[in-house]
Each structure stands twice: as structure tokens, then as C-alpha cells.
Amino acid sequence: MVIARLRAAPARARLLLFAFGDFAFNLYWQSIMLFLLFYYTEALALPVATAAAIYTIASVWDGLANFIAGAVADRREPGRGYGHFLMLGSIPLGLAFVLTYVPPLASGWWGIGSIFVGHLLFRTAYAALNVPYLAMSARVSSDSRDRAFLAGMRMLFGTMAAVFVARGTLPFGAWLSGSPIPAHAYLGAAILFAILGTVILMLVGASYREQVVPVRTAPPSIAASLKSLAANRAFVTLNLAMMAMIVAVTILNKSVLYYFKYFVGDDVAGQSALAWMGVVGAAAVPLWMLLQRLLGTRGLWFLAASACMAGLVFFVGVHIDKAGPMQLFLVTMQALIVGLHFAYWAMLPNTVEYGERATGLRVEGAVFGMAALLQRIAIGLATLLLAAGFDAAGYVANVQQSSATLAAMRGTIALVPLAFLALSVAFMLLNPLGKGAHAKIVKDLEDRGS
């Protein structure tokens, strides 16, 4: 397969508009990541083991659906292009998201079944639309500097969405539903997010233009795609590092509301903490973009991961039980975590060209689909580890926890992420995409095609 560059380099304004799509996707994703498990256990009163099982199975299915979507994207493009597909798919995605927050339709196992089906429908719709959007990011430009800019802007819009979700879910949801009951408030917020997300994705789809257009002699088989990914050292090591990082970050993020409820005794401060984490995370993105130019993307990972590990060591040694200090700790950690996310998304598109040079096969959809599969597996693993740690500690929802239970919960929150961050650094040491490596790869590919 060869690459035909049919258009001039995109203007920053067009890249910015494309990146705005991440605001829409993160309205959905941040709600699922920050609130859904808490919604299950605290608003619907599901046992933590049941809630974690639903979440984990759905996460794994999400990953499989992402890989299938990636494989389909590599073999067959939508008839009128990805932009049109993004517009059409935005409507069923919004509807499926609302179903995720519809309260149980019956009692007992039938009710749990309805929750599970709603969750699966959303994950399927999200995968079907998000993977093509991610694959589109490898086509808007082949320049690693444009891709780093795009990753930074996507991070910025994503963290803006996280702020909106964290601070607005319960207030806006209660206002729209006209009810203070948490389950009704979550549903009202879901309707609002679905409307906003649909409008934004339609706008992004209508304005999408490609700079890089792959021309295939024959569509790759799934087996060939998997073989290419397995031989792509940059992809393998980057995603192993990502999985370890995602386990750590997911445990930290999902524990925030629990920590403020049971350790600090202030639910509202927990919601404020999530919002401030988003604000500070957004403000930190330009700094990470600047550091990336100085250190390279791989070097950025080492800096951010080391700083996160130092923060967790501090948390282990200093017991925090006041709202203000805990909020300060969390926003500091989030500013560092954003650096890891930025580094990952800046590096992932570059593994496409690395794999093309190494194997002769360019697989965009498979790269992003498999990456999503591995990410969802990591999220599911993190959810299970958090639930197992809380369950072993003796956690019971909506009651005062004993001091021994709190101590054990705190150990899960701090020590497991610390171990997985260290593992991410070890994997990243094996990654070959050092500073300047991608530019050389692109030049090699251009020389081959000339």
C-alpha cells in the first residue's frame, strides 16, 4: 500500500475544529468514567461486586467492539466518507448514552439485566463512532508536529468536557429533571449531554477534510492486521505502557467520589475536586505541549510518570482527611496525569508509519481499534482491582466505614496505582520512538514511494 497526499497541509483552524470532536466524545466518556460506577452503587444501591462486574464486562465488550470497528474501517470505508458517517452515527450514540442512565425497568435480576443491556448498547455505539474518529486523526495530517498539536487540542477539549461533566452532572440534571432524586438527576444530565454531543459531532463531520488518503491494492485481512501490529514494536510497547498507566489512573479517578464521601465526609467537595481536576488539567496541556518540543514525546512520559509516582509516595506517607488539602493533591496529580495522556495520543498515530515501514502494511483502523481494546481491558482490570480491594476491606455502600476498612481502602487507592505507574515506565524504556525518530520514518517512506 502507498500513501497519496492529495491536499496541502491543513490550517490550524481546521485541526482545531476537528479536535473539538473530542469535547463531544468526552461528554459521554467522562460521565462513564467518573460517575457510572458511583451511580450504580450509590444511586441504584447495587452491590459493589455486581456494579463492577457489569462495568468490567461492558468494558471488555467495548474493547472487542472497538477492534471490530477498526478492522472494518481498514477493509471498507463508509460510502460517503468518514465525515458523513460521523454525522449519521451521532444520533444513535446519543440515544444509547441516555439508555445507560435509565433506571432499572424491573426489580431483581431483570432490573440488573436492563442496566447491563443499556450499558452494552452505549459501548457498541461509542466504539462504532469513536474508532473512525480516531483513525481520521492519522489522515488530517502526516506531520508529527500537526499531530502533536492535534493531540494537545484534543486533550484540552477533553478536559474542558471533564470539567463540564464533573461540575454540571448533578446540578444541571436535577434542574432538567425537576427532581432532587440522584437517579433522576443523572438521567436529566445524560439527556443534556446527548443533545450537545450530537450537535458537535454533526458539525465536525460536516467540516472534515483529509490531507492523507491511503490507496490500497487490496484490503488487509484481520490476520494480516494482527500480524502487522504484533511486529510493530512501537505500537506494542506504547500500548503496554498505556495499559499500565490506565490501570493506575482509573483507580485514582474512580476513587475520588468514594474518598470524599467516606474519608472526608463531603460529597459536594468531591464533585468540586473532579471539576477542578479538569480545569487544572486543561491549563496544564499547553505546558506539556511546550515540554514535548524540548524533551520529545517519549521523554515527556518519563517526566510525567516519575512525578506521578512521587506524588503517590507523598500520599502514602501523609494522611489527608480534609477537603482543601485533598483537592489540592488531586488537582496536582491531574496536571501530571494529563502529561501521560498527551504523550500517548501524540505517539499513537506515529506508530502507524513505524508499522508501515517495518511490515509494509499500513493499518490505521486496526491500530486505533486494538489500542481501544487494550485500553478498555485496562479499565476493566482497574475496576475489578478497585472493587476487589474495597470488598476485601469490608466496604458497604451508604454506611460509615470502620477505621480498618478505610485504611485498607486507602491502600488500594495509593499502592496499586504506584506499582502500575512504575510498570509503565519499564515498558516505555523499550519504545523506539525517541525524539526525531518519526520524522526519519516518514522520510524513509517518502523515499520508497518516489
Side-chain angles (χ1 to χ4, degrees):
M1 187 181 85
V2 296
I3 305 302
R5 291 169 174 81
L6 302 181
R7 298 182 178 91
R12 286 297 168 96
R14 189 171 294 282
L15 291 174
L16 198 63
L17 183 57
F18 178 78
F20 189 47
D22 234 52
F23 185 91
F25 281 112
N26 272 279
L27 288 176
Y28 303 134
W29 186 250
Q30 295 297 336
S31 180
I32 295 296
M33 290 295 292
L34 298 177
F35 283 102
L36 191 59
L37 184 66
F38 192 77
Y39 165 75
Y40 284 162
T41 61
E42 310 301 309
L44 301 185
L46 293 181
V48 66
T50 302
I54 293 173
Y55 198 99
T56 301
I57 294 171
S59 292
V60 174
W61 165 248
D62 185 1
L64 292 171
N66 272 274
F67 178 73
I68 293 169
V72 170
D74 276 334
R75 294 182 62 82
R76 183 178 183 276
E77 283 197 27
R80 296 177 63 182
Y82 281 126
H84 187 70
F85 181 74
L86 199 65
M87 295 172 67
L88 291 178
S90 64
I91 297 174
L93 174 60
L95 293 174
F97 178 70
V98 172
L99 287 177
T100 306
Y101 282 100
V102 171
L105 301 178
S107 59
W109 287 106
W110 286 107
I112 293 173
S114 71
I115 295 170
F116 180 60
V117 169
H119 196 159
L120 285 183
L121 287 174
F122 165 73
R123 296 282 189 162
T124 304
Y126 188 91
L129 207 60
N130 188 242
V131 169
Y133 173 76
L134 296 176
M136 288 155 69
S137 69
R139 296 189 179 189
V140 291
S141 177
S142 62
D143 191 309
S144 62
R145 292 168 297 182
D146 284 343
R147 290 176 174 181
F149 173 79
L150 184 61
M153 291 301 99
R154 286 182 54 218
M155 286 293 305
L156 185 61
F157 285 125
T159 50
M160 288 170 61
V163 174
F164 188 73
V165 170
R167 205 66 192 96
T169 292
L170 291 177
F172 286 138
W175 177 69
L176 287 171
S177 66
S179 171
I181 298 173
H184 296 169
Y186 281 113
L187 179 59
I191 294 171
L192 173 63
F193 298 160
I195 293 172
L196 292 175
T198 300
V199 171
I200 292 170
L201 290 178
M202 284 190 169
L203 175 63
V204 173
S207 63
Y208 171 67
R209 300 292 184 275
E210 293 181 347
Q211 183 215 6
V212 181
V213 181
V215 180
R216 296 188 177 91
T217 55
S221 66
I222 292 179
S225 296
L226 289 173
K227 184 177 179 181
S228 175
L229 293 179
N232 187 335
R233 180 183 164 197
F235 176 84
V236 171
T237 54
L238 174 64
N239 281 277
L240 287 173
M242 175 273 291
M243 291 182 73
M245 179 270 287
I246 288 294
V247 170
V249 170
T250 300
I251 289 175
L252 287 171
N253 286 344
K254 287 190 180 303
S255 66
V256 170
L257 294 175
Y258 293 98
Y259 196 94
F260 276 90
K261 181 172 183 175
Y262 297 109
F263 288 79
V264 179
D266 190 341
D267 289 17
V268 176
Q271 297 169 36
S272 297
L274 290 173
W276 280 112
M277 287 164 68
V279 170
V280 173
V285 170
L287 175 61
W288 288 115
M289 294 175 70
L290 176 62
L291 288 173
Q292 184 266 346
R293 291 178 176 271
L294 299 174
L295 303 176
T297 313
R298 183 169 170 265
L300 202 68
W301 186 286
F302 296 133
L303 175 62
S306 299
C308 284
M309 292 166 64
L312 287 171
V313 170
F314 170 81
F315 182 74
V316 170
V318 178
H319 184 71
I320 304 174
D321 57 4
K322 300 296 182 183
M326 190 60 190
Q327 288 173 334
L328 179 60
F329 169 76
L330 287 171
V331 298
T332 303
M333 289 295 294
Q334 184 63 23
L336 301 175
I337 288 168
V338 163
L340 292 169
H341 285 297
F342 169 69
Y344 175 71
W345 288 112
M347 290 180 72
L348 184 61
N350 295 345
T351 67
V352 173
E353 284 82 19
Y354 184 95
E356 183 181 3
R357 187 181 68 170
T359 68
L361 187 65
R362 183 182 178 93
V363 284
E364 297 166 352
V367 161
F368 290 97
M370 178 59 77
L373 168 59
L374 297 175
Q375 182 191 51
R376 272 48 167 196
I377 291 174
I379 291 170
L381 175 60
T383 306
L384 286 179
L385 289 172
L386 182 66
F390 281 14
D391 208 28
Y395 161 80
V396 178
N398 296 311
V399 302
Q400 185 175 352
Q401 313 299 321
S402 69
S403 58
T405 294
L406 291 175
M409 290 171 67
R410 192 169 180 274
T412 299
I413 293 169
L415 297 178
V416 177
L418 182 61
F420 275 92
L421 283 171
L423 187 61
S424 81
V425 172
F427 285 129
M428 190 56 73
L429 285 169
L430 303 175
N431 188 278
L433 291 178
K435 188 175 182 181
H438 180 257
K440 296 177 182 178
I441 293 170
V442 171
K443 188 177 185 306
D444 287 346
L445 292 173
E446 289 177 345
D447 291 342
R448 288 183 188 181
S450 60

